[in-house]
Amino acid sequence: MTVKRNSLLQSVDFLKHGQRIDQSWSEENVRGRDWEDLYRGRWQHDRVVRSTHGVNCTGSCSWQIYVKDGIVTWETQQTDYPSVGDTMPEYEPRGCPRGATYSWYLYSPGRVKHPYVRAELLSAWKEIRRQEENPLRAWRALSSDPERRRAYQQARGRGGFVRGDWETVSELISAAMLDTAEHYGPDRVAGFSPIPAMSQVSFASGARFLSLMGGTMVSFYDWYADLPPASPQIWGEQTDVPESADWYNASYFIIWGTNLPMTRTPDAHFMVEARYNGTKVIGVSPDYAEYIKFADVWLPCRAGTDAALAMAMTHVILKEFYVDTETPYFVEYAKTYTDLPFLVTLRPSGPHFVSDRFLNARDLNLDVSEADWKTVVWDTDQEGPVVPNGSLGHRWDGSGRWNLRLETADGHSLSPRLSFLGVEDAVLMVALPNLEEAAQGPLCRGVPARCLTNAQGETIWITTVYDLMMAHVGVNRGLPGDYPVDYDDPRAYTPAWQEAITGVNRGLAIRVAREF
């Protein structure tokens, strides 16, 4: 007869001693090892698949995912990335702790699996739906009721989300969009879709829906608020940048607006290893973030003020490398790849002039297609306005000649004039935007300009984007107006001016601008 022992008595077995051997340095284990099966089971798996993590870091690291009964049990880094060559660090091993613990998030009770709505809006919607059978009329009644509308609008930013069901929320969203489309047009419905790097399927579903209904597809960067603006502003491409391994080839880093060890964890080592080559690292951050420990110089810019620092550094670069000493490479690059040589019209506004719009082929009475969209430069060879290739109009006129070569449609080479300084017909006082306009009013600075007669026989004044930028940034070229005297002049946008706003020492701002 077998007697089942009490579990409490069984636990006492762990207090028993086994036979001691090796001069009492070792002891034979007499306890059961069934408890180890729990840990063996934790790492058991049926199959291994390749996957990545849709967490919007866009690293898309390759992982081996171990699956048991359709459940992810654990993951390890995939180690079959191709080599980038003997002269570069390798991508391996590619991954980060967030990727290694992603399965915890996958099955976390805190994962959002249901639609959530502000309580004020959901309760108001349910109440009005009990009174009105038609969802569209119900939304119109709700959104047009001043008290109800104020109640759910003022709740924004305060949390208070409650779980809703898919049918109710889908009906609410649909009614709101249909009402907007009917009253204001479908193009007034703006929407986002998840970043393509996260999920092509999710992105395509939202983009396709908005396209079919005639809505406006807003950049997903506006949703995530992490667009590095310099790339599209300068090159017209949305962050079309080199791969991370190319960071290793850099000789000078300004890390600004990104925390590489945090947001680009699998790639940050390329920046760190570049320092072995003597690469200098400048960090711009209001706090001592992770990447600041790698920086040779830290610019502790107050949060929300870094635009002032950028303007001051631009002031230094333009003054020292375009005006004081002209740098041929910079000038040729600006003529070829930027809009700085393009002509802009100036129009009177009160006692001053203001910048209006780009001069175009229609202003010159040129009989070409898409004339409104073909911008103009001033050619130094012909000493007059010329339409170059590469503008928006060339993209759509069917010619296929929308490259950035400095030439006209007939193949004539161009040498655009960056500035009218010294060959101007007059210096006009132009009112320019001012960050402190509420207190000081707009900046008023002299800009060299030329006079033209447009297709309607009217006299118009023109200048270049370059001349306008010089005036806006406050680079003193001997022209009249509210120009600063030197870097220590606190007028916009000097190093001294930014120091009062950002807290960054003006000497550091000047030094980094020169080095960069």
Side-chain angles (χ1 to χ4, degrees):
M1 179 180 180
T2 303
V3 179
K4 188 174 182 179
R5 296 177 62 196
N6 183 284
S7 58
L8 179 61
L9 294 175
Q10 286 181 348
S11 65
V12 176
D13 290 342
F14 284 90
L15 302 177
K16 293 180 181 179
H17 287 287
Q19 180 181 351
R20 295 188 177 185
I21 56 178
D22 297 332
Q23 299 179 352
S24 296
W25 284 102
S26 303
E27 180 181 324
E28 292 181 345
N29 190 348
V30 296
R31 307 168 187 85
R33 300 183 63 175
D34 294 342
W35 60 273
E36 295 178 2
D37 291 339
L38 174 67
Y39 291 93
R40 293 191 183 97
R42 169 66 180 85
W43 304 106
Q44 286 177 346
H45 55 276
D46 306 321
R47 58 198 176 100
V48 181
V49 299
R50 183 191 293 270
S51 187
T52 186
H53 310 100
V55 291
N56 189 38
C57 83
T58 70
S60 299
C61 302
S62 185
W63 286 79
Q64 295 185 95
I65 310 299
Y66 297 82
V67 182
K68 180 179 181 180
D69 296 329
I71 303 297
V72 175
T73 58
W74 53 297
E75 52 268 278
T76 58
Q77 293 165 331
Q78 187 67 261
T79 55
D80 58 357
Y81 277 89
S83 173
V84 290
D86 296 336
T87 60
M88 304 281 286
E90 299 295 348
Y91 274 102
E92 308 285 12
R94 188 166 169 78
C96 74
R98 291 186 294 281
T101 58
Y102 189 68
S103 59
W104 299 4
Y105 168 80
L106 200 63
Y107 304 116
S108 166
R111 182 182 179 186
V112 177
K113 302 176 183 177
H114 307 276
Y116 286 84
V117 195
R118 289 186 183 85
E120 291 80 1
L121 177 59
L122 186 61
S123 60
W125 174 251
K126 288 182 175 180
E127 179 185 347
I128 206 162
R129 280 291 279 118
R130 286 191 288 268
Q131 305 166 13
E132 175 57 65
E133 183 178 354
N134 184 287
L136 187 55
R137 287 197 294 266
W139 172 256
R140 287 174 182 169
L142 174 58
S143 60
S144 60
D145 185 321
E147 291 187 11
R148 282 172 166 159
R149 185 181 181 89
R150 189 180 304 111
Y152 70 74
Q153 283 184 334
Q154 290 183 345
R156 293 171 180 168
R158 298 180 181 177
F161 285 91
V162 296
R163 182 191 292 187
D165 62 87
W166 287 105
E167 184 177 354
T168 300
V169 172
S170 298
E171 183 183 77
L172 171 60
I173 295 171
S174 301
M177 286 196 296
L178 285 172
D179 181 57
T180 300
E182 187 170 300
H183 272 79
Y184 306 102
D187 60 327
R188 292 302 184 267
V189 177
F192 302 95
S193 208
I195 184 170
M198 175 180 170
S199 169
Q200 283 284 3
V201 175
S202 297
F203 172 77
S205 61
R208 180 67 171 156
F209 169 73
L210 286 166
S211 298
L212 287 172
M213 74 170 294
T216 302
M217 183 67 185
V218 185
S219 165
F220 43 78
Y221 275 118
D222 298 309
W223 185 0
Y224 298 120
D226 64 351
L227 170 66
S231 289
Q233 285 176 358
I234 300 299
W235 290 286
E237 297 288 349
Q238 193 175 48
T239 59
D240 185 22
V241 294
E243 61 171 305
S244 305
D246 199 33
W247 297 348
Y248 185 74
N249 296 321
S251 59
Y252 199 88
F253 268 107
I254 298 184
I255 306 179
W256 191 337
T258 182
N259 187 355
L260 291 183
M262 173 64 73
T263 61
R264 302 294 301 174
T265 307
D267 296 332
H269 69 94
F270 290 113
M271 176 271 293
V272 177
E273 291 168 304
R275 299 177 72 240
Y276 288 113
N277 298 331
T279 297
K280 190 167 186 176
V281 177
I282 310 299
V284 181
S285 174
D287 60 342
Y288 193 79
E290 286 90 337
Y291 68 96
I292 296 301
K293 70 179 180 181
F294 298 109
D296 298 286
V297 177
W298 176 24
L299 305 182
C301 191
R302 294 189 184 107
T305 67
D306 58 338
L309 175 62
M311 290 296 287
M313 292 172 68
T314 302
H315 178 102
V316 173
I317 292 170
L318 291 176
K319 183 180 185 304
E320 298 191 7
F321 299 98
Y322 284 82
V323 176
D324 293 350
T325 302
E326 189 176 277
T327 309
Y329 177 83
F330 291 176
V331 171
E332 289 306 312
Y333 190 96
K335 289 180 179 181
T336 308
Y337 298 110
T338 76
D339 65 355
L340 292 181
F342 283 92
L343 302 178
V344 178
T345 60
L346 301 173
R347 60 176 174 82
S349 177
H352 308 117
F353 283 80
V354 293
S355 60
D356 191 15
R357 60 172 175 79
F358 281 111
L359 189 72
N360 59 50
R362 190 172 301 281
D363 294 321
L364 302 180
N365 202 24
L366 297 179
D367 185 19
V368 294
S369 61
E370 306 294 343
D372 290 320
W373 300 97
K374 292 183 176 177
T375 46
V376 181
V377 298
W378 191 279
D379 185 26
T380 55
D381 294 335
Q382 301 183 36
E383 276 303 327
V386 175
V387 176
N389 284 333
S391 63
L392 189 60
H394 292 88
R395 174 66 177 85
W396 300 107
D397 67 358
S399 67
R401 300 182 65 86
W402 49 291
N403 56 66
L404 287 171
R405 294 194 186 99
L406 287 177
E407 59 184 34
T408 61
D410 58 5
H412 172 71
S413 296
L414 294 177
S415 179
R417 183 177 291 281
L418 272 181
S419 174
F420 285 139
L421 187 63
V423 295
E424 71 274 5
D425 293 325
V427 174
L428 304 181
M429 300 304 292
V430 177
L432 300 158
N434 183 5
L435 291 177
E436 299 155 333
E437 188 166 341
Q440 302 176 1
L443 300 169
C444 187
R445 292 169 173 170
V447 175
R450 295 293 295 260
C451 183
L452 285 180
T453 302
N454 66 10
Q456 289 74 39
E458 302 166 333
T459 298
I460 57 173
W461 289 96
I462 59 168
T463 190
T464 65
V465 176
Y466 177 88
D467 282 328
L468 280 173
M469 183 174 69
M470 286 291 180
H472 188 189
V473 178
V475 177
N476 193 335
R477 296 185 290 167
L479 297 170
D482 188 26
Y483 282 95
V485 177
D486 53 28
Y487 291 160
D488 293 322
D489 190 332
R491 279 180 281 193
Y493 295 93
T494 64
W497 168 85
Q498 69 80 34
E499 183 177 304
I501 298 172
T502 68
V504 174
N505 180 278
R506 71 189 70 176
L508 280 179
I510 295 169
R511 171 183 161 190
V512 170
R514 286 172 177 164
E515 291 177 349
F516 179 65

